[in-house]
Structures are given as C-alpha cells and as structure tokens.
Amino acid sequence: MKKDKLSKLKLPDKPGVYLFKKGKAVLYVGKASSLRNRVKSYFSSDLCSTRGPRLVKMITLAGTVQFFESDSVLEALILEANLIKKYRPEYNSREKDDKSFIFVVITKEEFPKVILVRGKELDEKMRNNSRAIFGPYPSAGEIREALKIIRKIFPFRDKKCNPNSLKPCFNRQIKLCPGVCSGEISASEYLKIVKNIELFFEGKKKAVLRSLEAELKLNIKKGDFERAVILRNQIFALNHIQDIALIKHPTHLDAGRPSGIERKIEGYDIAHTNGKQIVGVVIALVNGEPAKQWYRTFKIKTLEGANDTAALRELILRRLAHNEWPAPDLIVVDGGKAQKNVVEMAIIEASKIIPVVSVVKDERHKPREILGDSAIIKDHHREIILADLEAHRFAVRFHRKLRDKIPY
C-alpha cells in the first residue's frame, strides 16, 4: 500500500480496529487507542528495524485499510479478537499456536464462573462444559485488565466463590461478586448478569444498554429505587468505560473522552437559619479549577422548616431541569449516605445518568470521609474536596447576603 493512499483516508483520533486488506482478503487486524496515529506508524521509515521484514511485506501487499471506530480501547480489544477469530489473517500472530493464548471461559452451571484459561488447558471436556468461550487473546496482561474493568460493571463469580455457602468470598466484600456465595442473588438474576457479559464480549454493547435501560424504567415504575441506582450506575459505566489500565490515561473521568473536551464537576450545598430563608447553590469546577460563570443560586420554594435532604432534592431537580446548561460529569454533595441517596434518586427522576459522591464532615466541619465510587474518589480527591469547600463557602455567602438584606 502506498503512503499517498493513506493520506486520503480520514482516520479519526479515536480508539478502534483496523484491517489491512488485499482485495477482499484480510491480511492483518490490529487495535489502536488512536486509529490515526497507529495506522500512520506503519509507514514510518524505520518500520523494518522496529517491526521486522514480515510486516513490511504485508504493507507492500496491502491495497486498502478498513477501520472501525469503538467507544473505548476495551471494546477495540474485544472487536480485534472477534475479527481475528473470524478472518484468521495471515500476518497476525497466528492462532495455529492457540495453546499459548488466553481465552475467556464462562462455565455451564447454575451459577456460571467467568475465568481465564490458557489454550493448552482448553480441552474438549472444558469446551463441552462451557456456556461460552471468547478469544483467543494474544496478551494475557491486556485481557486480565479488560476483565477487571468489566467486573466492576458486572460483578461475577470466580473459582474462589462457593454458591450459597453463606460465607462471603473476598470479592463479595469488595463488590466484585454479586453475592452468589452469600445467597444474596438468585440463579435467574445472576444469569442476567452473565448474559450481559456474554453480549459485551460478542461486541453487542448497544443490546446490553437497551436491556438495562428497559429494566431501569421498569424498576422506577415499581418504586424499586435501590435496584434503579445499580442499573443507572451500570449504564453510566458502559457509556464511560474506564480503561485507563489499557491506555494509561491520566484521569479516571477522562478515559474514553475525546481530546479537548472539558471535564465539569459540580458541587451542591444548602444553607438556612433554623429552617428559614433556605437557599441552595451550585458551583462548578472545569478541569479542576473554579468556573464562576457556572455558579448558580436558588431560593428553596417548596419547604418550610429544616429539612436539608428535601431541600437538596429540590435543588438538584431544578438545576437538572436546565438542559441548556452543560451537564456535569460528577456531582459532589455535602453530607452522608442520606444526602447521597436523595441526590441519586433525584438524578434518576430527572432521567439523567451522573455519578455522585458525598463528603462527610466531622464535628469541626472538616472533611472526614468521601462516599462513592472508589476509583473516582482516588483520581479526583483534590477536586472533590475543593468542590465541597467552594459550595459551602458560596452557600454561606449567599445566605448571609439574603439574611442581611443586601442585594445580591
């Protein structure tokens, strides 16, 4: 393939999979965190010394490059494996040596396990006792990291989990097992999780999202808000796949985000005097710094008396009704579990999908603990604390001005 042909391709700076082809024959399948940069690298002057003469020959034979964008590197990894399995390209590290490759195996039993198996261990007996087998994957490290990401979205059982033993396994304690061991989940409910994992490995994320969204609406209608929060979090996670370990991206909320897009975190707080003159505020951080053009103040209208959670619910619903304002990537609230829960319910009510963390204070009103997704908290600890402090400062300032009858 000549370099001038490459210049005519409109390769995006996005994750995806590329196929070098000679006519209809697929010579090579690869994945990339940036299709543009990755494909261009095959036409560098030092290709022979860095990748070898075999790959140079493949480039010479190839007449076209076909590509498929994906929403994340994780999905590119899965699509790459599926296409290699389908086409068995001559210039990939051939699957004729499958024994050294890794497969994802979902066992055939009442509570299926999701495990990684080397090709040399994948005998006929194991194949017959499996619901599904995905792969081969050439990099053990990559598929292990991929499975860790998937497990955070869809917790599953592994070899160390004994069904209904009433002894929670270690992964149950860190929320990576849905409670198969402790008897907290039925076989039918667990199989829904397994089916979503299978669909995801088949490259059918849209089908998974449709199923989760339908179940979310049903649970909201039934009033099962606890289940609705779980489903909402799964939908959010699928739409914002955190594949940092695969692409070494510097921040958790930015993973999969196109370059140049700002990250917006909003902080909320309530202020009043013994339940009178109740006010709420919204502050915003953009890329970690206060963005005062997005600060907003609200006089709480529906309440009399001190009820911070009800005031917070009104504040969230009124803010989210402003579709003309950019939606935040993360909401930070002052308070504990009750405040976090009421905000999550309000977000569902508003048909939005936004993660929430809450900052718990000690008796001196200093941050003591943060409740919420541990990865988000780890990656954005400074911003979360800043958002909480800034919201509190702004709420007190606004309330004092109202109380003192100074025009704001």
Side-chain angles (χ1 to χ4, degrees), residues 231-246:
L231 292 164
R232 185 218 53 192
N233 290 344
Q234 288 178 328
I235 292 167
F236 180 86
L238 280 172
N239 282 319
H240 303 79
I241 286 173
Q242 312 301 332
D243 49 10
I244 309 166
L246 294 175

PDB file of all heavy atoms in Angstrom, residues 231-246:
ATOM      1  N   LEU A 231     -28.692  -0.137  38.344  1.00  0.00           N
ATOM      2  CA  LEU A 231     -28.826  -0.147  36.879  1.00  0.00           C
ATOM      3  C   LEU A 231     -28.318   1.153  36.274  1.00  0.00           C
ATOM      4  O   LEU A 231     -27.624   1.139  35.248  1.00  0.00           O
ATOM      5  CB  LEU A 231     -30.289  -0.374  36.489  1.00  0.00           C
ATOM      6  CG  LEU A 231     -30.840  -1.769  36.810  1.00  0.00           C
ATOM      7  CD1 LEU A 231     -32.354  -1.763  36.764  1.00  0.00           C
ATOM      8  CD2 LEU A 231     -30.290  -2.807  35.832  1.00  0.00           C
ATOM      9  N   ARG A 232     -28.646   2.262  36.915  1.00  0.00           N
ATOM     10  CA  ARG A 232     -28.170   3.546  36.406  1.00  0.00           C
ATOM     11  C   ARG A 232     -26.656   3.606  36.407  1.00  0.00           C
ATOM     12  O   ARG A 232     -26.025   4.096  35.457  1.00  0.00           O
ATOM     13  CB  ARG A 232     -28.733   4.674  37.264  1.00  0.00           C
ATOM     14  CG  ARG A 232     -28.374   6.064  36.715  1.00  0.00           C
ATOM     15  CD  ARG A 232     -28.060   7.050  37.786  1.00  0.00           C
ATOM     16  NE  ARG A 232     -27.041   6.576  38.703  1.00  0.00           N
ATOM     17  CZ  ARG A 232     -26.780   7.180  39.847  1.00  0.00           C
ATOM     18  NH1 ARG A 232     -27.463   8.231  40.206  1.00  0.00           N
ATOM     19  NH2 ARG A 232     -25.841   6.703  40.655  1.00  0.00           N
ATOM     20  N   ASN A 233     -26.041   3.093  37.465  1.00  0.00           N
ATOM     21  CA  ASN A 233     -24.577   3.084  37.537  1.00  0.00           C
ATOM     22  C   ASN A 233     -23.961   2.198  36.464  1.00  0.00           C
ATOM     23  O   ASN A 233     -22.903   2.515  35.905  1.00  0.00           O
ATOM     24  CB  ASN A 233     -24.130   2.625  38.922  1.00  0.00           C
ATOM     25  CG  ASN A 233     -24.425   3.655  40.003  1.00  0.00           C
ATOM     26  OD1 ASN A 233     -24.690   4.816  39.690  1.00  0.00           O
ATOM     27  ND2 ASN A 233     -24.403   3.237  41.248  1.00  0.00           N
ATOM     28  N   GLN A 234     -24.605   1.063  36.165  1.00  0.00           N
ATOM     29  CA  GLN A 234     -24.111   0.176  35.109  1.00  0.00           C
ATOM     30  C   GLN A 234     -24.205   0.845  33.741  1.00  0.00           C
ATOM     31  O   GLN A 234     -23.274   0.757  32.931  1.00  0.00           O
ATOM     32  CB  GLN A 234     -24.899  -1.137  35.112  1.00  0.00           C
ATOM     33  CG  GLN A 234     -24.568  -2.043  36.288  1.00  0.00           C
ATOM     34  CD  GLN A 234     -25.386  -3.308  36.302  1.00  0.00           C
ATOM     35  OE1 GLN A 234     -26.541  -3.331  35.857  1.00  0.00           O
ATOM     36  NE2 GLN A 234     -24.815  -4.384  36.805  1.00  0.00           N
ATOM     37  N   ILE A 235     -25.317   1.542  33.495  1.00  0.00           N
ATOM     38  CA  ILE A 235     -25.489   2.252  32.219  1.00  0.00           C
ATOM     39  C   ILE A 235     -24.421   3.339  32.082  1.00  0.00           C
ATOM     40  O   ILE A 235     -23.795   3.480  31.024  1.00  0.00           O
ATOM     41  CB  ILE A 235     -26.910   2.852  32.121  1.00  0.00           C
ATOM     42  CG1 ILE A 235     -27.953   1.729  32.009  1.00  0.00           C
ATOM     43  CG2 ILE A 235     -27.017   3.799  30.930  1.00  0.00           C
ATOM     44  CD1 ILE A 235     -29.386   2.191  32.219  1.00  0.00           C
ATOM     45  N   PHE A 236     -24.207   4.084  33.154  1.00  0.00           N
ATOM     46  CA  PHE A 236     -23.189   5.136  33.122  1.00  0.00           C
ATOM     47  C   PHE A 236     -21.806   4.543  32.852  1.00  0.00           C
ATOM     48  O   PHE A 236     -21.038   5.057  32.031  1.00  0.00           O
ATOM     49  CB  PHE A 236     -23.177   5.906  34.447  1.00  0.00           C
ATOM     50  CG  PHE A 236     -22.140   7.003  34.473  1.00  0.00           C
ATOM     51  CD1 PHE A 236     -22.429   8.262  33.981  1.00  0.00           C
ATOM     52  CD2 PHE A 236     -20.864   6.763  34.966  1.00  0.00           C
ATOM     53  CE1 PHE A 236     -21.469   9.268  33.979  1.00  0.00           C
ATOM     54  CE2 PHE A 236     -19.894   7.749  34.974  1.00  0.00           C
ATOM     55  CZ  PHE A 236     -20.205   9.021  34.479  1.00  0.00           C
ATOM     56  N   ALA A 237     -21.496   3.452  33.557  1.00  0.00           N
ATOM     57  CA  ALA A 237     -20.171   2.829  33.404  1.00  0.00           C
ATOM     58  C   ALA A 237     -19.952   2.330  31.981  1.00  0.00           C
ATOM     59  O   ALA A 237     -18.853   2.446  31.437  1.00  0.00           O
ATOM     60  CB  ALA A 237     -20.018   1.683  34.399  1.00  0.00           C
ATOM     61  N   LEU A 238     -20.995   1.763  31.369  1.00  0.00           N
ATOM     62  CA  LEU A 238     -20.864   1.283  29.989  1.00  0.00           C
ATOM     63  C   LEU A 238     -20.676   2.430  29.003  1.00  0.00           C
ATOM     64  O   LEU A 238     -19.975   2.295  27.998  1.00  0.00           O
ATOM     65  CB  LEU A 238     -22.091   0.463  29.589  1.00  0.00           C
ATOM     66  CG  LEU A 238     -22.123  -0.986  30.079  1.00  0.00           C
ATOM     67  CD1 LEU A 238     -23.476  -1.614  29.777  1.00  0.00           C
ATOM     68  CD2 LEU A 238     -21.022  -1.815  29.430  1.00  0.00           C
ATOM     69  N   ASN A 239     -21.315   3.565  29.292  1.00  0.00           N
ATOM     70  CA  ASN A 239     -21.180   4.724  28.402  1.00  0.00           C
ATOM     71  C   ASN A 239     -19.901   5.510  28.658  1.00  0.00           C
ATOM     72  O   ASN A 239     -19.531   6.362  27.855  1.00  0.00           O
ATOM     73  CB  ASN A 239     -22.390   5.652  28.571  1.00  0.00           C
ATOM     74  CG  ASN A 239     -23.613   5.135  27.849  1.00  0.00           C
ATOM     75  OD1 ASN A 239     -23.510   4.642  26.728  1.00  0.00           O
ATOM     76  ND2 ASN A 239     -24.775   5.229  28.468  1.00  0.00           N
ATOM     77  N   HIS A 240     -19.238   5.235  29.788  1.00  0.00           N
ATOM     78  CA  HIS A 240     -17.990   5.933  30.132  1.00  0.00           C
ATOM     79  C   HIS A 240     -16.974   4.898  30.621  1.00  0.00           C
ATOM     80  O   HIS A 240     -16.521   4.935  31.768  1.00  0.00           O
ATOM     81  CB  HIS A 240     -18.225   6.980  31.217  1.00  0.00           C
ATOM     82  CG  HIS A 240     -19.257   7.995  30.863  1.00  0.00           C
ATOM     83  ND1 HIS A 240     -20.611   7.746  30.945  1.00  0.00           N
ATOM     84  CD2 HIS A 240     -19.140   9.266  30.398  1.00  0.00           C
ATOM     85  CE1 HIS A 240     -21.278   8.824  30.569  1.00  0.00           C
ATOM     86  NE2 HIS A 240     -20.407   9.753  30.228  1.00  0.00           N
ATOM     87  N   ILE A 241     -16.636   3.964  29.750  1.00  0.00           N
ATOM     88  CA  ILE A 241     -15.768   2.850  30.155  1.00  0.00           C
ATOM     89  C   ILE A 241     -14.408   3.378  30.589  1.00  0.00           C
ATOM     90  O   ILE A 241     -13.751   4.138  29.878  1.00  0.00           O
ATOM     91  CB  ILE A 241     -15.633   1.823  29.013  1.00  0.00           C
ATOM     92  CG1 ILE A 241     -16.951   1.032  28.899  1.00  0.00           C
ATOM     93  CG2 ILE A 241     -14.470   0.865  29.265  1.00  0.00           C
ATOM     94  CD1 ILE A 241     -17.028   0.114  27.720  1.00  0.00           C
ATOM     95  N   GLN A 242     -14.009   2.954  31.789  1.00  0.00           N
ATOM     96  CA  GLN A 242     -12.766   3.431  32.393  1.00  0.00           C
ATOM     97  C   GLN A 242     -11.629   2.453  32.079  1.00  0.00           C
ATOM     98  O   GLN A 242     -11.338   1.561  32.864  1.00  0.00           O
ATOM     99  CB  GLN A 242     -12.948   3.576  33.902  1.00  0.00           C
ATOM    100  CG  GLN A 242     -14.206   4.328  34.325  1.00  0.00           C
ATOM    101  CD  GLN A 242     -14.283   5.734  33.770  1.00  0.00           C
ATOM    102  OE1 GLN A 242     -13.247   6.350  33.518  1.00  0.00           O
ATOM    103  NE2 GLN A 242     -15.475   6.245  33.566  1.00  0.00           N
ATOM    104  N   ASP A 243     -11.018   2.613  30.921  1.00  0.00           N
ATOM    105  CA  ASP A 243      -9.973   1.669  30.510  1.00  0.00           C
ATOM    106  C   ASP A 243      -8.579   2.271  30.632  1.00  0.00           C
ATOM    107  O   ASP A 243      -7.732   2.114  29.764  1.00  0.00           O
ATOM    108  CB  ASP A 243     -10.219   1.141  29.098  1.00  0.00           C
ATOM    109  CG  ASP A 243     -10.501   2.242  28.087  1.00  0.00           C
ATOM    110  OD1 ASP A 243     -10.318   3.428  28.439  1.00  0.00           O
ATOM    111  OD2 ASP A 243     -10.901   1.926  26.959  1.00  0.00           O
ATOM    112  N   ILE A 244      -8.354   2.965  31.758  1.00  0.00           N
ATOM    113  CA  ILE A 244      -7.056   3.615  31.984  1.00  0.00           C
ATOM    114  C   ILE A 244      -5.906   2.622  31.926  1.00  0.00           C
ATOM    115  O   ILE A 244      -4.852   2.908  31.396  1.00  0.00           O
ATOM    116  CB  ILE A 244      -7.023   4.302  33.361  1.00  0.00           C
ATOM    117  CG1 ILE A 244      -8.234   5.194  33.510  1.00  0.00           C
ATOM    118  CG2 ILE A 244      -5.760   5.096  33.554  1.00  0.00           C
ATOM    119  CD1 ILE A 244      -8.467   5.653  34.917  1.00  0.00           C
ATOM    120  N   ALA A 245      -6.118   1.446  32.509  1.00  0.00           N
ATOM    121  CA  ALA A 245      -5.044   0.450  32.555  1.00  0.00           C
ATOM    122  C   ALA A 245      -4.654  -0.005  31.152  1.00  0.00           C
ATOM    123  O   ALA A 245      -3.537  -0.460  30.934  1.00  0.00           O
ATOM    124  CB  ALA A 245      -5.474  -0.750  33.384  1.00  0.00           C
ATOM    125  N   LEU A 246      -5.572   0.136  30.204  1.00  0.00           N
ATOM    126  CA  LEU A 246      -5.265  -0.276  28.830  1.00  0.00           C
ATOM    127  C   LEU A 246      -4.637   0.855  28.021  1.00  0.00           C
ATOM    128  O   LEU A 246      -3.892   0.608  27.091  1.00  0.00           O
ATOM    129  CB  LEU A 246      -6.545  -0.746  28.123  1.00  0.00           C
ATOM    130  CG  LEU A 246      -7.175  -2.030  28.681  1.00  0.00           C
ATOM    131  CD1 LEU A 246      -8.499  -2.314  27.977  1.00  0.00           C
ATOM    132  CD2 LEU A 246      -6.245  -3.213  28.502  1.00  0.00           C
TER     133      LEU A 246
END
